[in-house]
Amino acid sequence: MSNKIWISIDAMGGANSPNAIIEAIDKFLKTCNDVNFLLYGKKSVILPKIIDFNFSENSYKLVDSEVIISDEDKPTEAWRNGKNSSMRKSIEAIKNGEAHAAVSCGNTGALMLTSKMVLGTLDHIKRPAIAAIFPSINNNGTVILDMGANLECNESHLFHFALMGTCFAKIILKIDNPKIGILNVGEENTKGRDLELKTYKILEKSGLNFHGFVEGHDIVKGKVDVLVTDGFSGNIFLKASEGAANTFIDLMKNSINSGNLLTKMAGLLLKSKIKASFKIIDPNKNNGAMFIGLKGIVIKSHGSASVDGIYNAIDTAYKLTKNNINTKITEELDIFEKNGTGLNFVDKLKQTSAKILGIKNT
Amino acid sequence: MSNKIWISIDAMGGANSPNAIIEAIDKFLKTCNDVNFLLYGKKSVILPKIIDFNFSENSYKLVDSEVIISDEDKPTEAWRNGKNSSMRKSIEAIKNGEAHAAVSCGNTGALMLTSKMVLGTLDHIKRPAIAAIFPSINNNGTVILDMGANLECNESHLFHFALMGTCFAKIILKIDNPKIGILNVGEENTKGRDLELKTYKILEKSGLNFHGFVEGHDIVKGKVDVLVTDGFSGNIFLKASEGAANTFIDLMKNSINSGNLLTKMAGLLLKSKIKASFKIIDPNKNNGAMFIGLKGIVIKSHGSASVDGIYNAIDTAYKLTKNNINTKITEELDIFEKNGTGLNFVDKLKQTSAKILGIKNT
């Protein structure tokens, strides 16, 4: 590798591939001069687009890969049959030292399994998680993890999520000492399941910037910078918010479109104002979830992300590489291991909780 | 009791008590001639309001109760110190045969504990749940349970929720054969935690109208009439939706109010149109959650419900009484017990799951 940052891209993944992906790369190359791209996908489809955009010869390498993982493929199938896929090759590029980070708009489950199998997890980390930024109105957004990689977790996993989320928020949200919360059904420290109560006890003593429990309706208000929860609850939280947001947009559109000429004109008048105000919760702005806890930086973009959305996912990969997120996570973990306060404390609790909850001690 | 339906009301609970409560009762008495009310609360405060509204003498009884449970009281405190409270007395009225159903706008936790302690659970039911109607755009709403009474559940509890939710939906949503779903992170029947997978197997064989798994963003589309989930996930789902909805309303208001005269005028023009369209998701329309599974009908109204909201909560209590919901639930349960397919099957699974998950076999 040259001393430039190399980002490998699965150019065939997602609804808008490869066009939006090539356009986003072009846009990124124009704003950033220390990055190069490794593109994986069908050469016959991709090359003409690259020629259209007139990429400089040194800024990219294109590797032909005929196999494409579709959104319908099961993760295990994708792993079994995907040896020569653009997705697998883009991840292997990290392992082989050809790329610093990978970005894909493809099948989430397949990408997670492929990344785990190819890269493996960081030392001490048992469960890599999906960390994404949820929009909020009073801060720059809230890093939520896990968004769905681990449906069932124990308090030790959630402690690791808090630590990894803190490193992520420092780099991406540019906050010195991110405030951490645990998603719960109430704010009082007596509320919640065993999982929340035990995680509370660990975080309280961890020395991290722990705020306490946060309820679902307060996340969007930006009460904390990092929110930890199990992957089931994180996924339910995200999709419930999505459902409500989309319904509101639809109802608003309908009430304007079904009206008379005057209401339609009023709608037009308000459109730009509403758009500007709603920018804060534009999913493309925060696009780019990290599979955090792996030996490598893998960024998952929304499957239907726009050019700007994919640009932001690339930017996330670039910033996390530039700021050595994984070195920072490992350093933080080492401190907890050595000081014997954090992880040893966690380990004891873990053994107890494993007995009580019957959760496998992984 | 006369042959009229008696509804007992904790007239001191909630932010708008007792005024909005008295006004809602007045409205209900004007539309329904086979209902009477038993009111519990401070006589000195309530009586003048009743005189203002000129209630007919036979339509109500007012019982003086000086103790009020506040929203800040812990459930256990409310139980210990609330012997003479308006809340406790309004529930005891059911137990004593003086009322058919109770409605309260007060402290949810205190009301749940008081109701459980005073009334006890229906035969076979181990966990009463909170069943509420979530607004949806393609049907009359979706009954979701549990909304937060039981943070951790097993598949046997969820099966009971499905059965009780079906009886509730038949009466309140007026659907012959309500479609049941399980809240999950994906639609495929291989997705989810042990809890979802095991509940799937039971419901599939139950003979109930089982649709399958439903994702968070599809609930508002009205994919199912009854949605079952544990109380933790139900609560996260509800509050996430609430948070997103309120944020949208705030952003819209801000974009109109911060604009120039023209945008403000456009906002005014659209207001009634938007209001009409958003009526579908008005929380007051669906106000009135049932503590389902108890030997008695207890309806919890939002603490800040409007007169119309409280009216709807009373209407829910009235309809559930008129249609004997608890007799229907018990009959359904008996069928499953006798046929040996439903509950016996559940019991076997319950024992297995208790071992695997370490969930207490309650």
Side-chain angles (χ1 to χ4, degrees):
Chain A
M1 281 196 277
S2 65
N3 52 11
K4 290 209 171 185
I5 288 176
W6 281 86
I7 297 176
S8 71
I9 307 256
D10 167 15
M12 305 312 288
N16 305 324
S17 69
N19 292 15
I21 296 172
I22 308 294
E23 206 176 326
I25 292 175
D26 177 62
K27 204 178 154 191
F28 202 82
L29 282 169
K30 282 177 178 150
T31 57
C32 178
N33 56 17
D34 67 341
V35 70
N36 285 340
F37 289 91
L38 249 175
L39 281 96
Y40 292 88
K42 286 190 181 170
K43 205 169 182 172
S44 56
V45 180
I46 297 169
L47 199 56
K49 307 277 170 200
I50 290 183
I51 292 167
D52 276 357
F53 279 101
N54 201 14
F55 285 9
S56 84
E57 220 174 279
N58 299 326
S59 65
Y60 77 98
K61 276 183 204 158
L62 173 57
V63 184
D64 196 27
S65 27
E66 284 293 314
V67 181
I68 298 170
I69 306 295
S70 84
D71 281 352
E72 284 68 42
D73 288 329
K74 285 191 178 164
T76 45
E77 283 169 15
W79 176 250
R80 246 192 332 264
N81 310 323
K83 209 172 168 352
N84 293 311
S85 65
S86 54
M87 182 186 279
R88 175 94 141 253
K89 289 191 164 186
S90 70
I91 304 298
E92 283 173 343
I94 303 177
K95 173 99 176 171
N96 302 337
E98 295 166 82
H100 297 92
V103 174
S104 174
C105 302
N107 180 325
T108 309
L111 184 64
M112 187 57 162
L113 181 63
T114 303
S115 305
K116 258 167 94 169
M117 296 297 277
V118 171
L119 301 171
T121 54
L122 291 173
D123 285 352
H124 313 307
I125 296 292
K126 300 281 187 282
R127 302 276 190 101
I130 302 177
I133 297 174
F134 188 80
S136 53
I137 45 176
N138 298 319
N139 60 2
N140 289 329
T142 302
V143 178
I144 306 189
L145 62 176
D146 178 19
M147 282 297 203
N150 313 283
L151 300 188
E152 287 175 279
C153 296
N154 65 25
E155 64 278 15
S156 160
H157 304 138
L158 260 57
F159 168 68
H160 283 161
F161 296 171
L163 200 142
M164 297 194 291
T166 296
C167 295
F168 186 89
K170 278 182 185 175
I171 296 169
I172 300 298
L173 303 180
K174 293 183 189 136
I175 302 167
D176 281 345
N177 196 13
K179 213 194 282 180
I180 302 163
I182 302 169
L183 183 63
N184 203 357
V185 297
E187 287 198 333
E188 306 87 331
N189 66 5
T190 51
K191 291 240 171 144
R193 302 172 297 186
D194 252 20
L195 176 64
E196 286 72 34
L197 295 170
K198 283 180 176 161
T199 309
Y200 190 101
K201 281 188 185 160
I202 296 172
L203 287 177
E204 196 184 26
K205 294 186 181 178
S206 67
L208 294 169
N209 186 6
F210 180 51
H211 167 84
F213 291 142
V214 191
E215 290 187 80
H217 48 70
D218 283 337
I219 312 301
V220 70
K221 293 179 192 155
K223 274 216 170 172
V224 292
D225 306 304
V226 176
L227 183 80
V228 295
T229 187
D230 63 86
F232 190 86
S233 306
N235 195 281
I236 298 296
F237 174 82
L238 183 71
K239 287 180 182 161
S241 309
E242 244 178 61
N246 291 337
T247 305
F248 261 77
I249 291 172
D250 288 350
L251 286 174
M252 213 164 64
K253 277 187 188 159
N254 288 348
S255 50
I256 293 170
N257 291 336
S258 67
N260 56 21
L261 194 64
L262 213 58
T263 21
K264 276 180 192 149
M265 278 172 66
L268 270 175
L269 269 172
L270 278 179
K271 209 175 170 183
S272 67
K273 193 79 195 159
I274 289 176
K275 261 198 173 168
S277 167
F278 277 36
K279 220 173 178 176
I280 213 168
I281 45 171
D282 177 8
N284 280 307
K285 186 186 140 206
N286 295 308
N287 186 37
M290 180 180 182
F291 289 165
I292 203 162
L294 296 172
K295 282 183 185 150
I297 295 165
V298 180
I299 303 299
K300 167 71 176 83
S301 157
H302 282 288
S304 55
S306 66
V307 172
D308 285 346
I310 300 168
Y311 176 94
N312 288 329
I314 294 172
D315 192 46
T316 300
Y318 175 80
K319 284 178 181 155
L320 293 173
T321 306
K322 196 94 180 162
N323 290 282
N324 302 305
I325 183 160
N326 283 338
T327 314
K328 282 183 183 152
I329 290 174
T330 310
E331 282 168 6
E332 291 268 359
L333 275 167
D334 280 343
I335 293 169
F336 277 100
E337 280 287 317
K338 276 179 202 152
N339 286 357
T341 46
L343 277 186
N344 287 2
F345 176 61
V346 176
D347 276 337
K348 272 183 213 156
L349 264 180
K350 204 168 101 180
Q351 283 160 18
T352 323
S353 74
K355 270 184 215 157
I356 296 169
L357 292 174
I359 288 171
K360 271 176 217 132
N361 198 3
T362 52
Chain B
M1 282 195 276
S2 64
N3 53 12
K4 289 208 172 187
I5 288 176
W6 281 86
I7 297 176
S8 72
I9 308 256
D10 167 15
M12 305 312 287
N16 305 324
S17 69
N19 292 16
I21 296 172
I22 307 293
E23 206 178 325
I25 291 176
D26 177 62
K27 204 179 152 190
F28 202 83
L29 282 170
K30 281 176 180 152
T31 58
C32 178
N33 57 18
D34 68 339
V35 70
N36 286 339
F37 289 90
L38 248 176
L39 281 96
Y40 292 87
K42 286 190 181 171
K43 203 167 182 173
S44 55
V45 180
I46 297 170
L47 199 57
K49 307 277 169 198
I50 289 183
I51 291 166
D52 275 359
F53 279 100
N54 202 14
F55 285 10
S56 83
E57 219 173 280
N58 298 326
S59 65
Y60 77 98
K61 275 183 207 160
L62 173 57
V63 183
D64 195 27
S65 27
E66 284 294 314
V67 180
I68 298 170
I69 305 295
S70 84
D71 280 352
E72 285 68 42
D73 288 328
K74 286 193 178 163
T76 44
E77 282 168 15
W79 175 249
R80 243 192 335 263
N81 309 323
K83 209 171 164 0
N84 293 311
S85 65
S86 53
M87 182 187 279
R88 176 93 142 253
K89 288 190 166 185
S90 70
I91 304 297
E92 283 174 344
I94 302 177
K95 173 98 175 169
N96 302 338
E98 295 166 84
H100 297 92
V103 174
S104 174
C105 302
N107 181 326
T108 309
L111 185 64
M112 187 56 162
L113 181 63
T114 303
S115 304
K116 257 166 97 168
M117 296 297 278
V118 172
L119 301 171
T121 54
L122 290 173
D123 285 352
H124 313 308
I125 297 291
K126 299 283 187 281
R127 301 276 190 103
I130 302 177
I133 297 175
F134 189 79
S136 52
I137 46 177
N138 298 320
N139 60 2
N140 289 329
T142 302
V143 177
I144 306 189
L145 63 174
D146 177 18
M147 283 298 204
N150 313 284
L151 300 189
E152 288 175 279
C153 296
N154 65 25
E155 65 278 17
S156 158
H157 304 137
L158 261 56
F159 168 68
H160 283 161
F161 296 171
L163 200 143
M164 296 194 292
T166 297
C167 295
F168 186 89
K170 278 183 185 177
I171 296 169
I172 301 298
L173 302 180
K174 292 182 190 138
I175 301 167
D176 280 344
N177 197 12
K179 214 194 282 180
I180 301 164
I182 302 169
L183 183 64
N184 203 357
V185 297
E187 286 197 335
E188 306 87 331
N189 66 6
T190 51
K191 292 241 170 142
R193 302 172 297 185
D194 253 19
L195 175 64
E196 286 72 34
L197 295 169
K198 283 181 176 161
T199 309
Y200 190 104
K201 280 187 186 162
I202 296 172
L203 287 177
E204 197 183 26
K205 294 187 183 179
S206 66
L208 294 169
N209 186 6
F210 180 50
H211 167 84
F213 291 142
V214 191
E215 291 187 78
H217 48 69
D218 283 338
I219 313 300
V220 71
K221 293 181 192 153
K223 273 216 171 172
V224 292
D225 306 305
V226 176
L227 183 80
V228 295
T229 186
D230 64 86
F232 190 86
S233 306
N235 194 281
I236 299 297
F237 174 83
L238 183 72
K239 286 179 182 160
S241 309
E242 244 179 60
N246 290 338
T247 304
F248 261 76
I249 291 173
D250 288 351
L251 285 174
M252 213 165 64
K253 277 188 189 159
N254 288 348
S255 50
I256 293 169
N257 292 336
S258 67
N260 56 22
L261 193 64
L262 213 57
T263 21
K264 277 179 191 149
M265 276 173 64
L268 270 175
L269 268 172
L270 280 178
K271 209 174 171 184
S272 67
K273 193 78 196 162
I274 290 176
K275 262 199 173 166
S277 167
F278 277 35
K279 222 173 177 174
I280 214 168
I281 45 171
D282 176 9
N284 280 307
K285 187 187 139 204
N286 294 309
N287 185 38
M290 182 180 180
F291 290 166
I292 202 162
L294 295 172
K295 281 183 187 150
I297 295 166
V298 180
I299 302 300
K300 168 71 176 83
S301 156
H302 282 288
S304 55
S306 66
V307 172
D308 284 346
I310 300 169
Y311 176 95
N312 289 329
I314 294 172
D315 193 44
T316 300
Y318 174 80
K319 283 177 181 155
L320 293 173
T321 305
K322 195 93 180 162
N323 289 284
N324 303 306
I325 184 162
N326 283 338
T327 312
K328 281 181 186 156
I329 290 174
T330 310
E331 280 169 5
E332 291 270 357
L333 275 167
D334 279 343
I335 292 169
F336 278 99
E337 280 287 316
K338 275 179 201 152
N339 286 356
T341 45
L343 278 185
N344 286 2
F345 176 61
V346 176
D347 276 337
K348 271 183 212 157
L349 265 178
K350 203 167 104 182
Q351 284 162 17
T352 324
S353 73
K355 271 184 212 155
I356 298 168
L357 292 173
I359 289 172
K360 273 176 218 132
N361 198 3
T362 53

